[in-house]
Amino acid sequence: MKSIFREYDIRGIFEKELNEQMTKLIGYFLGLRVKKIGKTVAIGYDARSHSPLLCDYLVSGFNKAGCDVLNMGLVATPVNYFANFQEWGGVKPDASVMITGSHNPSQYNGFKITIDKKPFFGEDIYALGDEILENFDFEVQDDTTCKKIDAKQRYIDFLTKEFEHLRGFDKKFVIDCGNGVAGVVAPQIFDNLGFDYKSLFTEPDGTFPNHHPDPTVEENLRDIKRELEGEFDFGFAYDGDADRIAFLTKKHNVKGDIMAILFSEMMENPTVIGEVKCSQVMYDTINSYGKAVMYKTGHSNLKVKIAELNAHFAAEVSGHLFFNDRYFGYDDAIYASLRLVELVKNGLDVDRRIESLPKVYSTEEIKVKTSESEKFKLIDEIKELLKSPPKDFPPIKEIIDVDGVRVIFEDGWGLVRASNTTPVLVTRFESVDEQKAKEYEEKMNSLIKKAKEKLK
């Protein structure tokens, strides 16, 4: 059960790992941590069939710890984050928990935790897990006492007001909510603003009957792509809990690092944080008019860094987009949709701008299977091997080790990093020349193979 306590959140299979006892203890021991700074916790949940039951278990744990619980019911993850910045009966939450399995299969669920408006992650989550497992026989009685709050409507009203200037937008677009919780907020906001759009799969259904709600997988975009063959100019697809977006035009699937360029060009002297998987085109372009900072992958890492630097914006290639410019610094796919509509309304030709950027060849994320115990050791071995690389290895200009190993070559780069959430190494390669990108992939993969052999 220790494996459910992950780098960025708590996540596991319902009943098998996230059972009644485990969830009540998470609520109780997390509640004790909240009590060090306050006592009010806001809870929301996604569309999975077991989310309301996990909510009851979690509320019981928080009540046992002496916390006051605000229950917002079925909401998108950004609504949960938003609740931390609002007053509810004169009280601001000291913490929030979003019950969600995000884009995982339907048998999974989990908890994204915020304390004092900051992500609760990494060593804090691991320490929480250790304490729970040491006290697993501790008894928590059922107590679902809580105060209901309508965070969803306040969020809808807030974004409607913030983007009132978009009323009259005349282009047609399509959205795919993937039967996740984007469907409980996005259409209402878009209707309020009078947009001309079509929505797909807005009914929340935790079995995800139409397609899996992970917009980074091309197969999951087939329905929205079919719609874009017709009258629609562009489209948005959301993941299961609506903190991640895919943006598609008729010509392009616009990744998060390219969206970072589009947004930052409209900001004055912007500071933008990107993860290690972001294209060099993003870093070079933004550095020509602002400052681009490379940092670790992971929504929790980027939220911490954006606050530390008071940066305007942060992005992951996967579509986690964090606006600290005119917003609160967390990842919100619905808010990102409205900012994209704003760019188009202000005259941006997205396809033309993308096609004017330097041409590079980038691989998708390539995952190399390994084990939880081996993955970080492999990265250390690869670092050692790079100190004296093979004779046929491409010339190295620089090695960046902020998260795994990003090797800068003459005409591109290669990345190998250990996933914080699964037992894999994640690789990505980019070059101005397609053959060079393939060469970098081949040479870096040979290093991974040698590292594996050294660990045997």
Side-chain angles (χ1 to χ4, degrees), residues 176-217:
D176 183 344
C177 297
N179 297 110
V181 284
V184 303
V185 284
Q188 294 86 330
I189 296 166
F190 297 164
D191 287 345
N192 286 350
L193 294 171
F195 292 164
D196 187 355
Y197 74 101
K198 178 178 181 178
S199 54
L200 305 174
F201 318 133
T202 56
E203 187 63 34
D205 184 339
T207 66
F208 308 119
N210 293 288
H211 63 74
H212 194 60
D214 183 353
T216 62
V217 178

Side-chain angles (χ1 to χ4, degrees), residues 7-8 273-278 283 293-298 301-302 305 376 379 383 398-408 415-418 420:
E7 179 73 11
Y8 311 129
I273 302 162
E275 54 154 340
V276 289
K277 297 198 296 286
C278 289
Y283 291 106
V293 178
M294 189 181 296
Y295 198 57
K296 300 175 184 177
T297 293
N301 290 319
L302 290 173
K305 198 67 174 176
F376 290 109
I379 296 297
K383 287 179 182 178
E398 185 183 2
I399 293 175
I400 300 169
D401 61 359
V402 67
D403 184 4
V405 185
R406 178 162 164 151
V407 184
I408 310 301
L415 171 74
V416 183
R417 62 175 293 273
N420 282 311

Side-chain angles (χ1 to χ4, degrees), residues 154-169:
R154 191 179 295 188
Y155 173 88
I156 290 169
D157 293 343
F158 178 86
L159 289 191
T160 299
K161 184 179 178 183
E162 286 293 301
F163 290 94
E164 183 64 35
H165 59 284
L166 300 183
R167 190 174 298 280
F169 180 69

Side-chain angles (χ1 to χ4, degrees), residues 50 226 385:
H50 28 77
R226 193 177 302 123
L385 288 168

